Amino acid sequence: AQSVAQPEDQVNVAEGNPLTVKCTYSVSGNPYLFWYVQYPNRGLQFLLKYITGDNLVKGSYGFEAEFNKSQTSFHLKKPSALVSDSALYFCAVRDNAGKSTFGDGTTLTVKP
Amino acid sequence: NAGVTQTPKFQVLKTGQSMTLQCAQDMNHNSMYWYRQDPGMGLRLIYYSASEGTTDKGEVPNGYNVSRLNKREFSLRLESAAPSQTSVYFCASARGGVNNEQFFGPGTRLTVL
């Protein structure tokens, strides 16, 4: 069975500093990996995905993610954090049947 | 283009009551999903429909039923609500295939007393 782990419940960074939100996964076959963001009282919004190709994937709002096959990781990164980036972030993996498994989420807080 | 819409936004039920959560999408997507979100547990898949006319169980299907009414609509029914079903429910849709992202509705906050 596939699984996703987000080892940090909470990540705190200062505005302007780089941020990383960690994700590791387990899946049989090719990994299809996604990051979503959720703002309070809203549904999830897609940020970026890795399907194949370059290990560094660029997405919305200046976010990027690095796929590492040997470490089975897909960490979300941003070079310079904004206060408005504060939200709940979910990593997800999809299997060949199209079924997605989500991590438990990481709350990112960016302080001014 | 409304995306994914869900009704109602809020609902309070008594134990044993039944209700149906409605979901519709206007993006001509093939796949639709129902999730529940509980604090500290992320999103858990209840049921999904890979295409019109098909439905499959997800991780936590017990106590729920679904109907893929047509390509646009995918409803979730609680036949006899229990307090353990208190949660926020999200509907999502996707074009289908493994490489397409999901689009989520705004959620339904359900409380079962």
Side-chain angles (χ1 to χ4, degrees):
Chain A
Q2 61 193 32
S3 64
V4 174
Q6 294 182 239
E8 300 157 316
D9 291 337
Q10 180 100 23
V11 170
N12 297 312
V13 297
E15 188 174 31
N17 283 359
L19 69 87
T20 299
V21 182
K22 295 179 180 177
C23 171
T24 59
Y25 66 91
S26 173
V27 65
S28 55
N30 293 326
Y32 304 99
L33 299 159
F34 301 79
W35 275 102
Y36 293 85
V37 60
Q38 184 180 31
Y39 297 100
N41 301 312
R42 304 284 296 275
L44 279 68
Q45 298 175 33
F46 168 73
L47 274 180
L48 50 79
K49 63 184 177 184
Y50 173 82
I51 303 301
T52 186
D54 290 341
N55 290 340
L56 186 63
V57 178
K58 294 190 184 296
S60 306
Y61 312 120
F63 284 93
E64 56 191 28
E66 187 170 9
F67 171 69
N68 187 316
K69 188 173 183 178
S70 63
Q71 296 185 4
T72 61
S73 66
F74 189 54
H75 300 332
L76 181 70
K77 300 183 179 187
K78 187 173 183 181
S80 179
L82 300 172
V83 173
S84 57
D85 292 331
S86 297
L88 182 58
Y89 290 81
F90 289 98
C91 181
V93 64
R94 181 173 291 173
D95 66 15
N96 289 328
K99 192 166 61 174
S100 292
T101 300
F102 286 78
D104 290 343
T106 298
T107 298
L108 172 67
T109 302
V110 181
K111 298 182 178 178
Chain B
N1 191 339
V4 179
T5 57
Q6 293 182 236
T7 55
K9 285 186 169 53
F10 301 93
Q11 184 71 49
V12 178
L13 294 177
K14 295 181 179 178
T15 296
Q17 288 185 316
S18 63
M19 79 161 295
T20 299
L21 280 64
Q22 306 287 354
C23 174
Q25 52 91 8
D26 62 1
M27 295 173 282
N28 201 35
H29 285 168
N30 289 317
S31 302
M32 297 186 74
Y33 307 80
W34 276 106
Y35 294 91
R36 58 178 289 171
Q37 183 179 27
D38 302 293
M41 300 186 73
L43 270 73
R44 292 183 291 169
L45 182 65
I46 304 171
Y47 272 93
Y48 68 106
S49 171
S51 61
E52 187 179 357
T54 68
T55 60
D56 287 287
K57 294 179 180 179
E59 184 183 353
V60 288
N62 291 344
Y64 305 94
N65 284 300
V66 291
S67 295
R68 183 76 183 265
L69 304 169
N70 47 55
K71 192 171 186 179
R72 289 187 64 247
E73 298 171 289
F74 188 39
S75 62
L76 178 72
R77 183 161 178 84
L78 287 69
E79 291 291 352
S80 179
S84 61
Q85 294 178 305
T86 294
S87 189
V88 181
Y89 291 85
F90 288 100
C91 177
S93 71
R95 276 200 290 266
V98 296
N99 59 346
N100 290 308
E101 62 272 21
Q102 293 173 298
F103 292 78
F104 285 80
T108 294
R109 188 173 295 273
L110 175 67
T111 301
V112 183
L113 302 175

